[in-house]
Amino acid sequence: MHRRIIVPSALAASLLLAIPASAADFTPGAPGIGDSYYPASGNGGYDVSHYDLRLKYQPETDLLEGTATIVATTKQNLSRFNLDLGLDVSEVRVNGKKARFAATGEQELEITPVAPLEKNRTVSVVVRYAGKPSEVKIGGWTAWHRTPDGGVAAQEPDSAAWWFPSNDHPLDKATFDVSVSVPDGTQAISNGVLQSQSSRLGWTRYNWRSNKPQATYLATLAVGKFDITTDRTAGGLPVLNAYSKDLGDNAGAARASIERTTEVAEWLEEVFGPYPFNALGGYVPNVTSGYALETQTRPFYSPRQFNNGANVSVVVHELAHQWYGDSVSVDNWKDIWVNEGFARYSQWLWSEKEGEGTAQELADYVYASRAAEDPFWTVKPGDPGPENQFHVAVYDRGALALQALRNEIGDEDFFAVLKGWPTEFAYGNAEVGDFVRYAERISGKPLAGLFDTWLYQPVKPAAPAAAEAGVAARSAGAAAAAKPVRPAQPRSWKKIAETNTIHEHEEHTGHAGHAGHAGH
């Protein structure tokens, strides 16, 4: 008979398995997720899968009261962790038990659960909070718009901290249920599908659902008095557009633009593949800003976008972001080109489709109209820096890079890349380098040099390189070569330029003016 002998070390090991990790093994989650441009954005130590927001908003006083339930998974043994929030907190519970909490810095909510949290466990966090979002300043500014009849959250790269606690960075996407109670006669607009609405004792509650992963800055809330239009696409997706009732002279032009959302989305499906979300639409609140933003499924448009009449080009830009920026999101804010270069190029493709100037003609015009000494060329779209994150060069020079790629690899491979990329990285995150490698894989060509020239060199690509890439004016003879002929302005140019001429840096220069770009 064989007797098993338990040696002391084996016995010790077996006992260790039964004893929970000591407190020394648990450490705080990082106060930032590691973004190179915005170190305070996001948090470490956990990954959110779902936000359930139950809110009440009083337009007269700008008072927002909320209970947020966050479902997350721990990624390390956590002694405590942070959420990003600027409003006042009254109670926090972790897994049902009251937790200690403290507000630190401008946006950090530090939470210490009763018992430390083991790695790879599902955790529920309930935060009760309240405040007036327009009075909350982070980095010296507020992302919350007061309107004559309510309030709006729509801003990039941050807006969540003004209205709900979150892991506020695109790396941590989650699904959302947003339930908002507002006074009767007022509506609450958010992302996704309106599941239901009900009225009781003078208040109406709207229940919205986004069932695909969504970055926190792409979550939106608009409370006010809106005219709402609804429809369904040929494929059955619900379409909901909303217009403030007090848009004045811009009301007609806004509707003439936003009501083409379904048509534009159907065309974009031909270019980028199947639409990635459960709803479509757009909204135009009565705000004084000048930009637009790709809030997921329901882009935000400032009335000023329509000062000069209808502008379908801005609708093209924001809907293109549903694939490039929303479904495939930046890994780090320095990767902004994978959002903006493609949204701008989609405007060029729409111009091509509409017969108002080909993408080639637009590329030639951009290249020729910026002198070599123009500071435009010093901005590197592949890593522009936080101060230039939404500089026009990220858009126009970013689109030039795509035209150079198109000319290098040919239309068949180029459009295969445009359609394949949103599928390859659907509902995830990606870097500029990921796109370069993907384009190389599909085309079978080395492309690092091309992208280096157009995205990373702080100078205007020299005429030979530009000519080789097919984006320099074709001039005839030596005399013409000495002074290239400036191409004619494509007919679509003014409407495209209207989506990037209104800057609003004065409100929040501390945050690099990131709301400054019309048509983010």
Side-chain angles (χ1 to χ4, degrees):
M1 174 182 171
H2 175 74
R3 178 175 291 147
R4 186 164 171 228
I5 299 170
I6 298 180
V7 297
S9 60
L11 178 62
S14 67
L15 286 172
L16 274 176
L17 293 176
I19 299 169
S22 73
D25 295 328
F26 290 83
T27 53
I33 210 164
D35 193 272
S36 58
Y37 287 5
Y38 305 106
S41 290
N43 308 284
Y46 63 93
D47 188 79
V48 178
S49 59
H50 186 71
Y51 292 94
D52 183 276
L53 308 178
R54 193 167 179 85
L55 311 172
K56 183 177 185 179
Y57 181 72
Q58 175 53 267
E60 281 184 19
T61 60
D62 194 41
L63 179 63
L64 177 73
E65 299 168 273
T67 301
T69 303
I70 299 168
V71 181
T73 302
T74 52
K75 290 161 64 175
Q76 67 183 67
N77 285 337
L78 275 177
S79 58
R80 64 174 165 80
F81 60 94
N82 288 20
L83 291 168
D84 298 297
L85 181 65
L87 299 169
D88 295 329
V89 174
S90 58
E91 183 181 82
V92 177
R93 288 179 179 264
V94 177
N95 294 335
K97 297 180 179 66
K98 279 192 178 182
R100 286 186 299 142
F101 62 91
T104 63
E106 289 191 303
Q107 67 187 64
E108 302 293 333
L109 176 63
E110 254 180 36
I111 298 169
T112 307
V114 175
L117 306 171
E118 290 186 15
K119 184 179 178 180
N120 296 329
R121 297 292 175 91
T122 301
V123 178
S124 68
V125 183
V126 177
V127 181
R128 294 182 187 276
Y129 59 99
K132 297 183 177 183
S134 62
E135 295 178 4
V136 173
K137 297 284 196 291
I138 299 174
W141 64 287
T142 178
W144 184 265
H145 303 265
R146 284 300 309 268
T147 61
D149 53 16
V152 178
Q155 190 57 274
E156 183 179 19
D158 304 303
S159 74
W162 281 265
W163 64 288
F164 68 96
S166 71
N167 193 11
D168 195 11
H169 192 276
L171 268 179
D172 194 358
K173 302 204 275 191
T175 54
F176 279 75
D177 281 318
V178 179
S179 175
V180 192
S181 183
V182 294
D184 286 350
T186 302
Q187 291 109 333
I189 310 290
S190 190
N191 312 79
V193 174
L194 180 63
Q195 302 286 102
S196 62
Q197 71 180 72
S198 57
S199 293
R200 183 170 176 267
L201 301 175
W203 291 80
T204 303
R205 182 167 286 283
Y206 294 82
N207 298 300
W208 295 89
R209 171 166 289 173
S210 273
N211 67 348
K212 291 288 190 286
Q214 177 173 286
T216 46
Y217 85 95
L218 296 172
T220 191
L221 175 64
V223 175
K225 295 184 178 177
F226 295 96
D227 281 329
I228 291 176
T229 65
T230 59
D231 197 4
R232 286 199 174 267
T233 65
L237 285 180
V239 184
L240 185 145
N241 299 320
Y243 309 90
S244 275
K245 296 190 176 189
D246 52 359
L247 291 179
D249 291 350
N250 289 344
R255 285 177 183 257
S257 309
I258 313 305
E259 289 301 311
R260 294 183 69 181
T261 290
T262 301
E263 172 197 350
V264 170
E266 286 175 357
W267 170 74
L268 284 168
E269 284 193 305
E270 296 171 21
V271 182
F272 296 148
Y275 180 74
F277 301 122
N278 67 344
L280 267 175
Y283 75 96
V284 191
N286 186 8
V287 290
T288 58
S289 58
Y291 63 98
L293 182 65
E294 63 271 18
T295 39
Q296 195 157 306
T297 71
R298 189 152 293 108
F300 157 96
Y301 301 92
S302 297
R304 265 205 273 159
Q305 285 288 307
F306 311 106
N307 273 353
N308 296 321
N311 193 341
V312 181
S313 190
V314 71
V315 177
V316 171
H317 184 106
E318 302 311 334
L319 289 179
H321 273 312
Q322 304 304 307
W323 287 262
Y324 283 84
D326 292 13
S327 178
V328 186
S329 302
V330 295
D331 184 83
N332 188 297
W333 280 110
K334 70 180 174 61
D335 299 306
I336 190 67
W337 175 76
V338 300
N339 294 12
E340 300 302 348
F342 294 81
R344 172 50 49 91
Y345 194 76
S346 71
Q347 295 174 271
W348 292 10
L349 290 176
W350 177 263
S351 168
E352 196 166 287
K353 178 187 90 79
E354 294 288 279
E356 296 187 342
T358 64
Q360 182 67 62
E361 287 165 344
L362 285 156
D364 288 343
Y365 185 76
V366 168
Y367 181 84
S369 60
R370 299 274 187 179
E373 59 274 13
D374 191 321
F376 172 91
W377 298 108
T378 65
V379 176
K380 301 178 288 185
D383 186 0
E387 69 287 352
N388 287 319
Q389 195 181 343
F390 299 108
H391 191 284
V392 67
V394 175
Y395 297 68
D396 282 352
R397 190 177 171 183
L400 273 178
L402 288 169
Q403 185 62 31
L405 173 67
R406 181 178 177 180
N407 293 337
E408 174 67 23
I409 68 177
D411 273 15
E412 186 177 345
D413 281 350
F414 178 73
F415 286 102
V417 167
L418 286 193
K419 190 173 279 191
W421 167 263
T423 302
E424 180 94 353
F425 290 89
Y427 312 119
N429 301 77
E431 302 174 353
V432 174
D434 292 322
F435 183 84
V436 175
R437 288 184 288 274
Y438 182 76
E440 287 181 330
R441 174 153 61 88
I442 299 302
S443 68
K445 287 192 169 192
L447 299 168
L450 179 145
F451 283 107
D452 182 62
T453 297
W454 293 95
L455 294 183
Y456 292 104
Q457 293 303 315
V459 293
K460 182 174 183 176
E468 195 178 323
V471 291
R474 264 68 80 193
S475 52
K483 190 177 181 187
V485 179
R486 180 166 169 170
Q489 186 182 90
R491 274 201 303 144
S492 61
W493 178 257
K494 281 186 177 165
K495 285 297 180 188
I496 294 172
E498 279 172 19
T499 67
N500 69 332
T501 53
I502 306 165
H503 290 258
E504 297 176 317
H505 291 243
E506 71 279 359
E507 288 177 34
H508 32 73
T509 50
H511 242 59
H514 45 269
H517 211 289
H520 276 327

